[in-house]
Amino acid sequence: MSKADFVRVMFNDISHKYDFLNDVLSVGTHRWWKKRFVNLIKKNNPKTALDCATGTGDIAFMLNKSVPEVTGIDFSENMIEFAVERAKKQNSQVKFKVADIQKLPFEDKAFDAASISFGIRNVESLEMGLKELGRVSKSLYILEFGQPKNKLYSKFYFSLLRLYVPLFGLISKRGDAYEYLIASSESFPSAEKFVDIMKKNTDFKDINYTPVFGGIAYIYSAK
Ligand SMILES: C[S@@+](CC[C@H](N)C(=O)[O-])C[C@H]1O[C@@H](n2cnc3c(N)ncnc32)[C@H](O)[C@@H]1O
């Protein structure tokens, strides 16, 4: 099975518990991280935005409070179903579509801003994903897990994750999903390494990053 198939089936399977488990697993902090992320995007006053790997649409809905035209895409049909359901309940104008980041169905530079929160780590070809995100947008914002630079803190954090995250595997009945979360967070390139990969695969000149919670996650912005 390819990584893309594994990831898509996994998110289809956990979609009904995704929001609940996110809140519990992060002890609610993901909401704060996302707010900070969206505030950064809003600073540039985009009129159109594309939220990729949108999941159940958290970022898309938050963006739409000040960005008039927002589209969310994800390749998990079940996640998009939940996002569409949420849109209906909120009477939201956000458009949702099933699509793969590696082959986005949009024109070059169609969006003022593109965002992706906790999604880029899951894309089968990171290079192809970044090329597509850069192609369709005038600015790009990425929120993703990484590794704290302080070695002691990093060791403590990943040991803690290994202790309590398997519990969520039991709840979701997809233990491999949460094993995957730890393994992929521990090895995914972060900080300067990720900025270098962004430079190689996009045409953005101005690329910056900010650590969140000492480097558990990072926010990258590119213009
Ligand atoms: C951890 S969830 C993040 C959801 C949401 N952005 C959030 O922050 O809560 C990762 C999402 O990435 C999606 N995804 C992974 N690879 C993708 C790809 N190649 N194209 C589109 N979506 C993808 C998955 O289906 C899943 O919904």
Side-chain angles (χ1 to χ4, degrees):
M1 191 190 264
S2 68
K3 175 176 170 175
D5 285 341
F6 168 77
V7 169
R8 197 171 46 79
V9 172
M10 177 175 83
F11 281 104
N12 272 337
D13 284 353
I14 64 171
S15 56
H16 60 295
K17 290 204 177 104
Y18 179 78
D19 289 334
F20 167 72
L21 290 177
N22 242 0
D23 273 338
V24 184
L25 189 63
S26 72
V27 210
T29 50
H30 77 106
R31 289 172 185 262
W32 182 81
W33 297 1
K34 285 173 177 169
K35 203 168 177 188
R36 187 166 160 189
F37 181 57
V38 168
N39 282 342
L40 179 75
I41 304 172
K42 284 188 338 197
K43 268 190 187 162
N44 283 305
N45 218 8
K47 298 283 174 274
T48 53
L50 174 69
D51 184 45
C52 290
T54 194
T56 57
D58 275 1
I59 300 291
F61 293 123
M62 287 163 88
L63 278 172
N64 195 222
K65 287 186 182 144
S66 52
V67 181
E69 263 181 57
V70 180
T71 304
I73 68 104
D74 199 291
F75 73 174
S76 156
E77 300 84 354
N78 292 2
M79 293 293 249
I80 286 293
E81 252 180 53
F82 278 101
V84 169
E85 210 45 52
R86 277 177 82 184
K88 274 188 201 145
K89 277 188 192 145
Q90 299 174 27
N91 206 10
S92 159
Q93 296 307 306
V94 177
K95 291 183 206 122
F96 289 103
K97 197 178 170 72
V98 175
D100 191 327
I101 291 162
Q102 296 178 109
K103 205 170 179 247
L104 288 168
F106 304 107
E107 302 282 314
D108 293 358
K109 304 292 171 198
F111 299 91
D112 292 340
S115 58
I116 175 164
S117 137
F118 302 116
I120 195 71
R121 181 174 39 91
N122 300 304
V123 177
E124 177 143 34
S125 164
L126 174 58
E127 288 75 16
M128 214 189 282
L130 285 173
K131 280 193 176 109
E132 275 296 87
L133 288 164
R135 179 184 68 75
V136 301
S137 68
K138 294 174 197 152
S139 62
L140 172 61
Y141 300 85
I142 300 176
L143 171 60
E144 190 51 86
F145 287 120
Q147 306 83 38
K149 286 188 181 176
N150 181 306
K151 294 275 175 255
L152 209 65
Y153 176 41
S154 186
K155 235 180 160 166
F156 168 75
Y157 167 67
F158 283 108
S159 306
L160 191 71
L161 275 193
R162 261 184 240 108
L163 264 183
Y164 91 100
V165 165
L167 278 177
F168 296 88
L170 290 178
I171 302 171
S172 68
K173 298 195 176 72
R174 283 290 312 238
D176 52 346
Y178 290 89
E179 274 165 33
Y180 167 79
L181 168 71
I182 305 176
S184 58
S185 303
E186 217 167 1
S187 60
F188 192 72
S190 60
E192 289 85 359
K193 274 192 200 158
F194 190 74
V195 168
D196 281 346
I197 301 173
M198 284 181 83
K199 278 185 185 156
K200 282 190 191 125
N201 292 287
T202 65
D203 55 6
F204 297 117
K205 300 280 174 272
D206 182 13
I207 306 181
N208 294 292
Y209 76 86
T210 318
V212 183
F213 271 25
I216 287 177
Y218 291 85
I219 292 176
Y220 304 90
S221 64
K223 277 175 249 162

